[in-house]
Amino acid sequence: MALVKGESVNKARRSATTLGGMGIDAAPVLDELKALPDHPDEEVQAAILIAIGKIETAIHAELRSGSGLDTRKSAVQVD
């Protein structure tokens, strides 16, 4: 999340894209991503919105599968 919030537009965009690709493993940072809809760069804004969609889709799929969701255990480090 530090890179998404950072000054480098390229790193912010790539980091948001990476988080989206992580799917459910990025669930712990979902609220932080949702708090960044007005990033100054439009490409980063778009990457954040796409990441949010991918993470939410993964969460809903997990919940539908009945396996449950434990956002306390994740490979994502929350900064």
Side-chain angles (χ1 to χ4, degrees), residues 1 3-4 10-26 29 33 47-48 50-52 54-55 76:
M1 279 304 304
L3 293 174
V4 176
N10 287 331
K11 287 180 182 177
R13 188 185 74 254
R14 288 192 325 248
S15 297
T17 300
T18 299
L19 286 170
M22 293 175 66
I24 199 162
D25 289 330
V29 298
L33 282 175
I48 290 170
I50 291 168
I52 290 169
K54 287 181 176 183
I55 296 165
V76 177

